[in-house]
Amino acid sequence: MNNQNSGSYVRRYPERLKRRRQRRLIALLASLLLVLGAAVGGTLAFIMTASEEKTNTFTPAQVSCDVMEEFDGTVKRNAAVKNTGGTEAYIRAAVNVTWMKDENASGQTVTAKVPQADVDYELIFYTDTGWIKGADGYWYYQTPVAPGAVTAAFVRECRQLEGANVPQGYHLSVEIVASAIQSSPEKAVTQQWNVTLEGNKIVSANGNEVTGE
């Protein structure tokens, strides 16, 4: 009797052991799936946080210029214009010659009397340096100037002549005033400065400028 019961117990033991091993294997597989799921979830979260929206701020280009010249107190030489802006630009300049009030004189700053060229002063321009004179009295540099670049000189020298008829309390003043305008689109310069272009080169300036600068 005892031998039969003992034999029956021995036969059932491997089945229990097998089922226990199966349960452990299932539990292990479930744990692995949870780990993998957590890993995938973490990766997706990282990608989402890394793909943040980027905001771009565009800064408009600035247009500006500055006159470069040599002056020793009696003679002005080698006047040119530098593009101090952040974009390619056309350049033009005007030369204003007046009688300017001395610092210790009273009255108006500039006289109504205009200095006479080749009588009161001598003004010599360079030739073949890429500048042309427009019908409006401005000097135009014919091709666009890159940011930071300087035009060729257009005023070679200007000086007061001996025997000049200088009004009392005044002195000769030679002021070069330059202006710049963006080179693109073309209509910016053709409409605002009323110039004619061939390619990107100013070939004539017709006056009657819109801005009056």
Side-chain angles (χ1 to χ4, degrees):
M1 187 71 175
N2 291 336
N3 291 337
Q4 291 178 352
N5 290 338
S6 176
S8 176
Y9 176 79
V10 170
R11 286 194 298 270
R12 288 196 298 270
Y13 178 77
E15 294 178 0
R16 292 179 180 178
L17 181 62
K18 182 177 180 180
R19 286 196 295 272
R20 186 179 302 171
R21 288 177 178 176
Q22 288 176 345
R23 286 196 296 269
R24 290 179 179 176
L25 180 59
I26 292 171
L28 179 61
L29 289 174
S31 299
L32 288 174
L33 289 175
L34 289 174
V35 171
L36 290 174
V40 171
T43 302
L44 291 176
F46 174 77
I47 293 173
M48 291 174 65
T49 55
S51 302
E52 296 178 355
E53 181 181 356
K54 299 295 182 183
T55 302
N56 295 309
T57 302
F58 292 86
T59 303
Q62 300 297 316
V63 179
S64 60
C65 61
D66 193 21
V67 175
M68 314 293 288
E69 62 185 21
E70 302 170 13
F71 183 59
D72 61 7
T74 59
V75 181
K76 185 187 293 286
R77 294 186 176 90
N78 299 323
V81 183
K82 181 177 182 179
N83 180 356
T84 57
T87 188
E88 188 178 71
Y90 286 102
I91 302 289
R92 72 177 180 178
V95 182
N96 300 320
V97 184
T98 59
W99 296 119
M100 184 70 68
K101 181 184 68 174
D102 295 337
E103 292 182 2
N104 58 353
S106 60
Q108 66 188 66
T109 303
V110 179
T111 66
K113 182 179 178 180
V114 179
Q116 299 298 306
D118 301 323
V119 175
D120 297 317
Y121 68 93
E122 181 182 43
L123 178 57
I124 303 173
F125 292 94
Y126 282 103
T127 59
D128 300 325
T129 58
W131 289 86
I132 60 171
K133 190 173 184 179
D136 52 9
Y138 282 96
W139 285 86
Y140 290 82
Y141 197 64
Q142 292 181 274
T143 54
V145 181
V150 182
T151 68
F154 74 107
V155 173
R156 181 175 179 179
E157 67 177 39
C158 185
R159 68 176 71 234
Q160 181 177 308
L161 296 175
E162 293 184 9
N165 187 17
V166 184
Q168 185 176 1
Y170 288 79
H171 62 275
L172 185 70
S173 172
V174 181
E175 182 183 19
I176 299 174
V177 181
S179 54
I181 190 169
Q182 65 193 69
S183 62
S184 181
E186 289 184 358
K187 66 180 181 180
V189 65
T190 57
Q191 293 181 7
Q192 294 298 312
W193 285 1
N194 198 18
V195 299
T196 301
L197 295 179
E198 288 185 2
N200 69 341
K201 185 176 182 180
I202 297 175
V203 294
S204 67
N206 307 309
N208 300 319
E209 65 273 15
V210 176
T211 62
E213 295 178 356

